[in-house]
Amino acid sequence: MITVYTDQHKLRDSKTELYGGEMVPPFECPRRAEIILGAVKSAQIGEIIAPTSHGMEAVFAVHDRGFVEFLSTCEAEWRAAGFKGEAIATCWPTRTMTAPHIPTHIDGKIGYYALAAETTISSGTWEAVLASKDVALTATDLVLDGARSAFGLCRPPGHHAAIDQFGGYCFLNNAAIAAQHARDMGCERVAILDVDFHHGNGTQNIFYDRDDVLFLSLHGDPKDAFPHFLGYVEETGAGAGEGFTANYPMPPGTGYAAWKACLSDALASVDNYKPDLLIVSLGVDTYENDPISFFKLGHDDFIDYGRAIGALDLPTVYMMEGGYAVDEIGINVTNVLIGHSNGTRAG
């Protein structure tokens, strides 16, 4: 399996994150990608290549243009306003403030486009975001051109990025951009399977009223886990998309047996949908020792579920999302990819 990777991700190196009432070093940091890359090399998963540059067509097909423009200028506007720290939202259009106006001052504008306050925007973020998007599209092109599977080592991640909101460490939605690109390249149906601990609220938002992209998410119950306000079982799509979204929220302490039962149901839905391409939003923060999650998967469980996904024998692109137990993240990622290869051969 070819891995697509670029050092450009290091440009995203924020120093602050709001967590537990304190400003702490971000859990989503450059070292995550470096450990995964080292594990991919050690496990000899396959060739590692750099991404090729892609345009913005697929980006604008899923994201609001004003939002994209905001991301590209936010850090410069923040500095021009005289603020000393990293750009961070402090005010939002909440349930009691919903006038349809986008502020011109960056302090208000960032709140309009932010879904949470933990994610700062720092120098180099936009350049890394564009590179991550290119990683996703290059990995997708490999599969569209005939490879059976590929791994996009995307950083920053993307699945929390909605049509016009960023947060949860995500800015542009790599999986959604890749899915749209695949559709534009001739795929009639695409399935996105999100196995990150946190609900893929952004991906759901983008495709909620569409039937050409099936979205399924296994995640911590939003009553107890970020992003809290989306990801409930009754959310199944709207309009033409009714029935093409499926959510599997699970409670604190969920172990592999219960998690695997949800995965099996989701994989049956994917198999029934018969997509031309499967995109897996691969978050390994389901690991039992992840610092900001509450599932209990062990190292071997990642091999097993990778094998189950591979057994579908579908053209498959893995996109890196979350996973914050830094020392173990490489083991768990490569275990999924190794399991997938074994499952494909077995199938």
Side-chain angles (χ1 to χ4, degrees), residues 207-226:
F207 295 116
Y208 202 60
D209 60 355
R210 291 172 54 169
D211 61 3
D212 57 340
V213 178
L214 175 69
F215 175 66
L216 311 101
S217 179
L218 285 66
H219 52 269
D221 194 318
K223 293 193 300 292
D224 300 296
F226 183 91

Side-chain angles (χ1 to χ4, degrees), residues 245-328:
T245 291
N247 286 300
Y248 299 85
M250 288 169 268
T254 294
Y256 185 59
W259 191 92
K260 178 69 178 295
C262 291
L263 177 69
S264 296
D265 189 81
L267 293 181
S269 295
V270 172
D271 190 44
N272 184 64
Y273 187 62
K274 302 189 185 311
D276 301 302
L277 177 70
L278 172 62
I279 295 172
V280 180
S281 280
L282 177 59
V284 296
D285 41 2
T286 50
Y287 179 56
E288 59 190 346
N289 293 326
D290 192 278
I292 57 174
S293 309
F294 55 61
F295 287 170
K296 301 299 179 184
L297 274 63
H299 291 314
D300 290 344
D301 299 329
F302 292 92
I303 297 175
D304 185 69
Y305 87 65
R307 185 182 300 115
I309 296 171
L312 289 176
D313 199 25
L314 289 169
T316 304
V317 185
Y318 285 87
M319 304 289 182
M320 194 66 219
E321 301 286 1
Y324 308 103
V326 172
D327 291 337
E328 294 91 352

Side-chain angles (χ1 to χ4, degrees), residues 15 44 66 73 77 90 120 129 135-136 154 163 174 176 178 182 185 194-195 219 248 251 268 281-282 291 317 343:
K15 305 304 180 185
Q44 298 182 329
T73 62
E77 289 187 56
T90 59
T120 61
V129 166
V135 167
C154 298
I163 292 171
N174 298 313
M185 296 298 290
D194 193 322
V195 295
H219 52 269
Y248 299 85
S281 280
L282 177 59
V317 185

